[in-house]
Amino acid sequence: MTAEPDAPAQDARRFGVVERFRPGDYDQAERAIAEIARSGASHIRTGLSWAEYHEEGGKAWFDWLIPKLAAQFDLLPCLSPPWPDEAADALDHLLIRYGHHFQAIELPWDGPEHVVGTAARRARQRGHRLVLGGLFLSDLRWLDLMGQRGLLEHVSAVGLRAFPATWRSGIADWTEPLGRVRALVGRYNRDAETWITEVGHPTWRNDEAEQVRRFLAALDAPADRIYWSRWRDEPVQDGLDPQLSHLGATMADGRPKLLARLLMDGGVARARQIARLPAPAMLGRTRPVAVLGGSGFIGSNLARSFLARGDEVIVIDNLSRPGVDRNLDWLMDEHGSRVHPVLADIRDPLALEPALRDAGAVFHLAAQTAVTTSLADPLDDFEINARGTMNVLEAVRRQGRRTPVIFASTNKVYGSLDNIALAELDDRYVPADEMVRARGISEARSLDFCTPYGCSKGVADQYVLDYAKSYGIPTAVLRMSCIYGPRQFGTEDQGWVAHFLIRALQGEPIVIYGDGKQVRDILHVDDAVAAYRAVLSSIDAVSGHVFNLGGGPRNAVSLRSVIREIGRIIGRDVPVTYSDWRKGDQLYFVANTGKLEDTVGWSARRSWREGLADLASWLRANRIFRNEEAPPLARVTA
């Protein structure tokens, strides 16, 4: 089901976007216009306000914006209230100044009748098509009255609007409503088209997959043209319906939601591929494993390990991390109908309960995973990691079965560990305590939540353990160190081993925050998957227990040593630059995995040098870098 990577796949149906551009915000407008064009939209609908036109800088703003939009899209300006007394003259002025940039102009239906009528006639005289847009179904009696008074004969199109999942006209099936409008308008003007001038789905419940489905439902509606509302969320303000502030395909700060990512990556065709993913139903006699975050790096590798032995797997993911949809493609290409994808967000409890209904075991790896992101937006970090985990636990508890839940926690619950005495060597820090140096940090270490990320994961960690005590649900927690390996699309903020390799293969410098002597015990994902499976196999014995999971002292490496090894693998030196330390960064963390080894018989089998070479080969083979001429890998013997 992989989409063409080089160009967006084309879809037979064209669509438009409704977007408001704030006067004077040139940079944001430039970004939004570029993104909307990349989405495949062919039309754009935006306000043309007489009041804003006369504000300071207003003429210059519209002189820049209108030609800019018209160069990229079929532009539909909507004359926005408040209406001046001389509305028809105002419309004349705007048409003279800008009319050569568009063929049609929209008049809001709710203007004074005489203003609408006069403006409509003036626009028609200047050769412009008139659109009467923004009607709800409840406005059809008014529309009929306008027809009786002869106004509809000047109109080229009439447009409905609806916002499913809000209190405003939740149209789900467009066939009947559009048919009613078409029949009514046809009595007075047989040539008038029927449009959807504004439809959107808010993601205030984080149901981004449903927004994609609603977009496609509108796209398939029997309308002559459709406009999706909107590209970017409105900042939440006093007086603005909080639901309607979340209508965008991207967030207010520009971060793309699922709809924007799919449209920009592969167009409507890609959105259709994802929207067709089946939900779990009757899956046979054996209850499937559910992997929350199953399209992510560790989740997709874990899911594949069960699929490879013939099991059914429910993959639950909101596809929020760029690139992870490729992992879902990979699972479905290899294992077909035994993969049961569910597009859902763990912040949406209404979506989780049916998704987990058939699960025989739940691996919870869905998370916000970056310390830096948690510092920038601690509330969002809490909603995902803490409240999202509660949603998962409650969805399992309400099933009334003892379904095992295994949770991916983090070593960050131990805090910055700045009270461990360290010795500084040439390329690394090591504990002064011989026992800690030989074995690492154990689960007996006191919790010391640090940074919002550490707090949110720590809260979740403790709730998962408590649900074993309070409700008898078999649960276990794995506090992970640095996991790396194939299918990891690492960034500077998370997945640093893959990020270092990607930068090196691209010939770009690596940025080290601090001095590079920080030490981590890195663990190949194959060994991490084996640990999760071993815990599930022993869940009755380990329920209510927590385990550290990492490479241990044998795989303890400094950032500097990893960079040296990467240079050896690619056959050339890797350029490095240094920057300030980041908050919460541990100088040293190596997991004592003795409890996990003794309890379930697990051990890390792959050495870190062998694992790095394996990841480099996978990145090279899958071209997870921009430089197509990346150097061949040196021959490496682990």
Side-chain angles (χ1 to χ4, degrees):
M1 61 171 286
T2 306
E4 289 295 326
D6 298 327
Q10 297 301 309
D11 192 89
R13 181 70 187 272
R14 302 167 75 192
F15 67 94
V17 171
V18 181
E19 186 66 0
R20 165 161 168 68
F21 299 95
R22 297 187 177 278
D25 198 344
Y26 292 91
D27 290 343
Q28 181 163 311
E30 287 270 21
R31 287 193 295 273
I33 290 167
E35 290 173 358
I36 295 169
R38 194 173 147 205
S39 77
S42 54
H43 313 299
I44 197 161
R45 174 177 175 261
T46 194
L48 181 53
S49 165
W50 182 248
E52 289 178 349
Y53 176 79
H54 282 286
E55 290 176 357
E56 184 178 354
K59 290 185 178 68
W61 166 250
F62 285 112
D63 285 350
W64 175 85
L65 180 66
I66 297 298
K68 189 88 174 174
L69 294 173
Q72 294 271 8
F73 310 100
D74 181 346
L75 172 62
L76 176 65
C78 174
L79 190 61
S80 304
W83 296 82
D85 293 336
E86 64 285 4
D89 292 336
L91 177 63
D92 254 353
H93 179 86
L94 294 173
L95 288 175
I96 290 169
R97 193 175 184 95
Y98 302 120
H100 59 289
H101 292 296
F102 46 83
Q103 296 178 335
I105 187 165
E106 179 181 332
L107 300 177
W109 68 271
D110 53 356
E113 181 186 329
H114 71 281
V115 172
V116 174
T118 305
R121 286 188 287 273
R122 291 279 186 91
R124 283 287 296 271
Q125 289 166 5
R126 292 197 173 276
H128 282 79
R129 300 173 66 202
L130 260 296
V131 178
L132 199 62
L135 284 86
F136 290 116
L137 274 177
S138 56
D139 302 320
L140 294 193
R141 293 180 67 182
W142 177 92
L143 187 64
D144 190 21
L145 181 62
M146 294 300 100
Q148 295 172 29
R149 294 180 179 176
L151 291 180
L152 291 186
E153 65 186 57
H154 300 289
V155 172
S156 299
V158 173
L160 272 180
R161 60 175 165 166
F163 303 98
T166 73
W167 57 272
R168 296 185 177 220
S169 186
I171 297 173
D173 183 350
W174 286 93
T175 304
E176 191 272 338
L178 288 169
R180 288 170 59 190
V181 174
R182 188 171 284 112
L184 190 157
V185 175
R187 295 182 212 158
Y188 308 104
N189 184 346
R190 292 184 179 180
D191 296 326
E193 294 182 344
T194 306
W195 292 5
I196 299 172
T197 45
E198 190 165 10
V199 57
H201 181 82
T203 58
W204 61 279
R205 285 198 305 119
N206 302 297
D207 50 349
E208 294 182 16
E210 185 61 22
Q211 187 183 58
V212 175
R213 296 185 189 100
R214 296 285 188 174
F215 168 81
L216 294 172
L219 193 65
D220 293 337
D224 295 298
R225 183 180 293 193
I226 77 115
Y227 289 90
W228 182 258
S229 178
R230 61 184 57 235
W231 188 252
R232 180 166 291 193
D233 282 349
E234 289 281 343
V236 178
Q237 301 171 357
D238 290 342
L240 181 66
D241 185 336
Q243 294 184 7
L244 298 183
S245 69
H246 291 84
L247 285 169
T250 71
M251 299 180 189
D253 62 6
R255 286 178 293 166
K257 300 178 190 176
L258 180 61
L259 177 60
R261 286 199 309 276
L262 294 176
L263 290 177
M264 290 193 292
D265 289 346
V268 172
R270 183 60 174 156
R272 290 196 191 281
Q273 284 180 315
I274 295 300
R276 290 190 188 114
L277 297 177
M282 298 302 294
L283 301 176
R285 296 180 182 176
T286 304
R287 291 190 179 275
V289 166
V291 184
L292 291 143
S295 295
F297 157 50
I298 301 174
S300 61
N301 279 280
L302 179 61
R304 183 180 182 272
S305 73
F306 285 98
L307 291 163
R309 73 175 193 183
D311 292 341
E312 307 270 342
V313 177
I314 304 169
V315 175
I316 303 171
D317 208 296
N318 67 355
L319 302 182
S320 63
R321 187 174 173 85
V324 299
D325 55 314
R326 291 185 242 173
N327 290 339
L328 185 57
D329 288 347
W330 168 64
L331 291 173
M332 296 187 71
D333 287 344
E334 283 203 353
H335 303 286
S337 61
R338 285 187 288 107
V339 182
H340 302 274
V342 179
L343 290 178
D345 193 297
I346 59 172
R347 291 170 292 182
D348 182 3
L350 297 180
L352 281 180
E353 199 160 336
L356 295 176
R357 185 172 296 133
D358 294 319
V362 175
F363 290 95
H364 176 17
L365 295 101
Q368 189 295 110
T369 55
V371 170
T372 49
T373 302
S374 77
L375 289 164
D377 194 345
L379 283 176
D380 197 48
D381 175 78
F382 173 84
E383 288 293 329
I384 297 169
N385 291 345
R387 189 184 297 276
T389 299
M390 284 296 295
N391 290 338
V392 173
L393 290 168
E394 280 297 281
V396 170
R397 185 173 74 90
R398 284 193 291 266
Q399 307 297 344
R401 292 182 283 107
R402 296 183 72 254
T403 303
V405 178
I406 300 171
F407 175 64
S409 187
T410 172
N411 61 27
K412 296 298 188 290
V413 300
Y414 298 118
S416 60
L417 299 174
D418 52 11
N419 59 351
I420 292 181
L422 298 174
E424 184 176 356
L425 305 183
D426 287 343
D427 75 336
R428 70 186 59 207
Y429 296 102
V430 296
D433 187 301
E434 293 281 348
M435 186 68 71
V436 176
R437 187 186 302 194
R439 297 186 180 178
I441 307 295
S442 80
E443 296 86 352
R445 179 83 187 177
S446 297
L447 299 180
D448 181 19
F449 301 162
C450 176
T451 73
Y453 173 70
C455 292
S456 65
K457 291 294 284 188
V459 165
D461 175 318
Q462 294 300 289
Y463 267 111
V464 171
L465 295 175
D466 183 71
Y467 265 57
K469 300 172 188 173
S470 294
Y471 300 109
I473 295 173
T475 68
V477 170
L478 292 172
R479 293 175 181 158
M480 294 190 294
S481 193
C482 297
I483 314 298
Y484 70 96
R487 314 225 68 82
Q488 185 176 40
F489 306 107
T491 68
E492 192 171 66
D493 295 323
Q494 199 275 331
W496 64 271
V497 177
H499 173 67
F500 281 10
L501 269 166
I502 291 168
R503 298 284 290 184
L505 286 167
Q506 291 175 170
E508 297 175 350
I510 292 170
V511 179
I512 296 292
Y513 293 90
D515 56 17
K517 295 184 180 182
Q518 303 98 304
V519 170
R520 301 290 183 270
D521 59 325
I522 63 177
L523 181 71
H524 192 275
V525 68
D526 288 351
D527 286 328
V529 165
Y532 277 96
R533 295 189 59 149
V535 169
L536 178 61
S537 296
S538 304
I539 192 63
D540 289 335
V542 303
S543 180
H545 285 264
V546 62
F547 302 94
N548 285 341
L549 176 61
R554 289 191 300 116
N555 291 294
V557 293
S558 70
L559 275 60
R560 291 188 181 192
S561 58
V562 169
I563 290 171
R564 281 199 304 272
E565 184 63 17
I566 289 173
R568 188 170 79 90
I569 290 170
I570 68 173
R572 57 179 168 78
D573 290 340
V574 178
V576 175
T577 61
Y578 290 87
S579 188
D580 293 339
W581 290 92
R582 294 195 289 196
K583 186 175 178 63
D585 195 8
Q586 298 160 327
L587 295 185
Y588 173 91
F589 186 88
V590 173
N592 180 340
T593 59
K595 180 180 176 183
L596 184 63
E597 294 169 12
D598 294 342
T599 305
V600 302
W602 171 90
S603 63
R605 299 183 180 278
R606 182 165 284 192
S607 73
W608 70 271
R609 287 189 172 88
E610 178 192 355
L612 272 181
D614 174 66
L615 176 55
S617 295
W618 182 83
L619 290 169
R620 174 82 186 181
N622 288 272
R623 299 185 180 278
I624 311 301
F625 47 83
R626 293 189 300 276
N627 182 3
E628 295 296 322
E629 302 301 324
L633 301 179
R635 186 174 184 139
V636 175
T637 9

